[in-house]
Amino acid sequence: VESADLDHKPHDLFERKENDLAMLKTIKLVEALCGFEFVFEHLDGRKVLVKSQGDVVKDGDLRTIVGGGMPFQHNVIQKGNLHIKFAIEMPTAADITPQVAAQLERLLPARPERPMATEDMDEEELRPFTQGAKSSAHREAYDSDDDEGPRGQRVGCETH
């Protein structure tokens, strides 16, 4: 066996760590909640059918196929494991119509009780994150042409 045969070559689906393999699999939210099946082609050309065991899979969860990795060099009968990390594809806003949202509210466990707004609270709305966007207050302060007062003045936190 030439040493080039022992080199680990990069692969589109798998990463290798010794005799173990790792892969990333993206599944839809409905599959994460209700179960899934998928097929992949192993390094030796076999097609492998993977079935969930009915448990809920969360984003970032790992599952293992024992013996699904690479054969050991001196014992080809023994194999490493295949570790699958899951990414959950969330539905888009367009997928969740008001009717779908109402159905989900009925089917899923109840959400926590909503806090009651009081006069001493500021109510804020979340918006999508935009890389490099500046706050409107920041933009107004630096876009202003009037030179009254110091610019970029730091605000200290009051301690009690």
Side-chain angles (χ1 to χ4, degrees):
V1 177
E2 293 181 18
S3 63
D5 292 338
L6 298 177
D7 290 341
H8 302 300
K9 295 180 181 141
H11 193 270
D12 290 340
L13 184 59
F14 301 106
E15 283 186 32
R16 181 175 180 174
K17 176 145 177 141
E18 297 175 4
N19 293 89
D20 288 345
L21 294 173
M23 66 182 277
L24 177 66
K25 177 63 180 169
T26 301
I27 60 175
K28 295 187 176 294
L29 178 60
V30 67
E31 294 175 296
L33 296 173
C34 303
F36 57 88
E37 294 182 5
F38 67 92
V39 175
F40 69 90
E41 187 174 326
H42 210 296
L43 293 171
D44 60 6
R46 290 179 297 127
K47 298 228 184 284
V48 178
L49 172 63
V50 177
K51 296 181 178 184
S52 68
Q53 297 297 315
D55 59 333
V56 173
V57 176
K58 296 181 287 303
D59 194 56
D61 274 0
L62 286 169
R63 299 292 189 271
T64 299
I65 297 175
V66 176
M70 299 298 292
F72 282 73
Q73 186 174 2
H74 299 291
N75 181 357
V76 294
I77 304 273
Q78 187 178 4
K79 294 182 178 181
N81 296 323
L82 170 60
H83 306 289
I84 303 172
K85 183 174 184 176
F86 287 92
I88 309 304
E89 182 181 314
M90 299 299 287
T92 65
D95 294 329
I96 308 297
T97 64
Q99 294 82 6
V100 169
Q103 288 176 324
L104 289 171
E105 287 275 1
R106 284 192 302 274
L107 295 172
L108 294 173
R111 66 168 88 194
E113 189 174 316
R114 293 180 183 203
M116 295 295 295
T118 60
E119 288 183 20
D120 64 336
M121 291 182 186
D122 291 336
E123 193 170 324
E124 301 293 343
E125 182 180 324
L126 288 176
R127 298 183 183 180
F129 174 77
T130 305
Q131 185 70 33
K134 295 178 182 170
S135 71
S136 60
H138 184 269
R139 216 175 8 258
E140 289 168 5
Y142 286 95
D143 290 345
S144 174
D145 285 336
D146 69 36
D147 288 326
E148 295 177 17
R151 290 183 153 198
Q153 183 177 10
R154 295 184 181 262
V155 176
C157 293
E158 187 176 314
T159 58
H160 296 277

